[in-house]
Amino acid sequence: MTFKQLEAFFWAARCASFAVAAQRLHLSVSTLSKRISELEASLGEPLFDRDTYRATLTATGHSILPQVSALLDQSEALRLSVKHETDLQGHVRFGVGELASQTWLPRFIRLAVARYPGLQLEPNVETGRAMEQALENGELDFALAAGFSSRDSIASHPLGQAEFIWVAAPALLQTQREHSTVLLQHVPLITMPSGAGTHRMVEEWLPRANVILGRSLTCNTWSAVSALLIEAVGVGFLPQAWAVPLLQRDLLQPLPQWPSLKPLHYSLQMRRNDTRPVMRSMQGLLEEVVDFGLPINFLTGTALQGATPS
């Protein structure tokens, strides 16, 4: 029995398939399967039922998984007790939304690389629904998503919120007599798709504002939504950090008479049984840096300030 065999079993048990587990360990599926077979031979018991379409844990596999998880955690804790938390190692895949990727994520990556040089970080930009599924499948280690997960296997910890502003292009408002919420009966609502956290926010707003919605047009990025709004295709809302620079440049105008949207609350989502030391470190750093109100560099131009001409 070896550490690599236990690690192969752990990830195969945690992930939706051997293929996903092999990807997480940077192994071929055949190598992963070989290590699990060697572990089964040393224990004298099958750990996976391979007769089904998807390999599933046997009763023995289920019974030893908590012990294997604890052994791996203890091994990492022992190594860090001799060295230091900064010697965390491994590959961490995580999910964030587009707003996070343009506000606090760059600082998070910069600090994580400086503090934990042995970690390889891989952010994935997705909608909340896709992140939840990837997290449950074992494709992601954690996600920072809008709302709270309803899945039993995922724990949600409140972390951050974003404010939103109703906006429209000046050209559209000039051609429309009605600037109240009745406008949504005549022009499309430009918004994110149903898989995004903002969809629930709109569903709450419509009856509260007594609004009857006509048409809607969805795009899965705030960049596309803002471009369509600037082009006067319809009306919509943007995160405050996204909207303010466009309002300052008169590309959009606010709709202050409209009932405001409630803030969108976010949560750190992790698998309930994930007790690895690296997850505690990631949570601590996220609690330090998550801020959805930070300026968006490509909109404000701050990324170019101080740059030296080539």
Side-chain angles (χ1 to χ4, degrees):
M1 183 185 305
T2 67
F3 180 86
K4 289 184 177 180
Q5 291 169 359
L6 294 174
E7 190 177 45
F9 165 73
F10 171 79
W11 282 107
R14 284 281 304 274
C15 296
S17 67
F18 276 24
V20 173
Q23 183 183 40
R24 295 303 310 269
L25 291 172
H26 302 284
L27 300 173
S28 66
V29 175
S30 60
T31 299
L32 178 89
S33 183
K34 181 175 182 291
R35 290 180 182 179
I36 293 171
S37 296
E38 291 169 346
L39 179 60
E40 290 173 323
S42 69
L43 293 172
E45 290 280 348
L47 301 175
F48 288 92
D49 180 1
R50 296 173 175 80
D51 293 334
T52 58
Y53 173 74
R54 172 191 165 197
T56 56
L57 283 171
T58 62
T60 301
H62 275 293
S63 68
I64 72 167
L65 180 56
Q67 295 169 278
V68 172
S69 177
L71 281 171
L72 295 177
D73 287 350
Q74 290 166 10
S75 174
E76 179 67 0
L78 175 62
R79 190 182 67 82
L80 294 175
S81 70
V82 175
K83 293 190 175 183
H84 193 271
E85 184 191 17
T86 56
D87 290 305
L88 282 170
Q89 296 179 355
H91 190 110
V92 178
R93 299 184 67 190
F94 60 97
V96 296
E98 186 188 15
L99 180 58
S101 75
Q102 297 298 332
T103 50
W104 56 263
L105 179 64
R107 182 168 180 243
F108 172 78
I109 296 291
R110 177 175 60 81
L111 291 176
V113 167
R115 294 181 189 180
Y116 314 113
L119 284 182
Q120 183 179 348
L121 301 174
E122 183 183 341
N124 294 262
V125 180
E126 290 283 0
T127 60
R129 185 177 298 169
M131 285 191 284
E132 266 192 305
Q133 188 62 56
L135 182 58
E136 190 167 60
N137 289 346
E139 298 170 52
L140 297 178
D141 293 297
F142 68 84
L144 207 299
F148 297 85
S149 176
S150 60
R151 304 183 189 220
D152 293 338
S153 62
I154 298 176
S156 300
H157 309 278
L159 189 58
Q161 68 177 41
E163 304 282 346
F164 292 81
I165 301 174
W166 284 105
V167 294
L172 184 144
L173 295 178
Q174 290 172 4
T175 61
Q176 297 289 329
R177 291 184 179 180
E178 183 61 73
H179 291 181
S180 71
T181 55
V182 175
L183 188 60
L184 285 173
Q185 296 180 24
H186 308 298
V187 299
L189 168 66
I190 312 297
T191 187
M192 297 283 275
S194 60
T198 50
H199 183 74
R200 296 189 296 271
M201 189 172 67
V202 173
E203 287 185 325
E204 183 280 332
W205 181 85
L206 289 171
R208 177 166 56 85
N210 196 28
V211 170
I212 299 175
L213 184 63
R215 294 172 294 148
S216 62
L217 194 161
T218 63
C219 293
N220 65 349
T221 71
W222 287 117
S223 299
V225 169
S226 59
L228 290 170
L229 290 171
I230 291 170
E231 196 64 23
V233 175
V235 298
F237 56 88
L238 291 172
Q240 183 172 305
W242 209 290
V244 169
L246 301 178
L247 296 173
Q248 291 173 339
R249 292 155 61 185
D250 294 325
L251 294 172
L252 294 171
Q253 288 184 5
L255 300 170
Q257 68 273 34
W258 286 30
S260 61
L261 291 153
K262 290 185 177 180
L264 185 61
H265 296 273
Y266 288 79
S267 67
L268 169 62
Q269 299 180 4
M270 300 186 292
R271 291 180 67 99
R272 291 188 185 278
N273 57 3
D274 195 342
T275 57
R276 292 175 294 156
V278 67
M279 290 297 97
R280 292 194 296 273
S281 296
M282 292 296 96
Q283 182 173 355
L285 183 53
L286 286 166
E287 290 171 350
E288 181 181 334
V289 305
V290 168
D291 182 353
F292 289 95
L294 291 173
I296 296 175
N297 288 338
F298 84 92
L299 290 174
T300 62
T302 55
L304 302 178
Q305 292 177 5
T308 302
S310 57

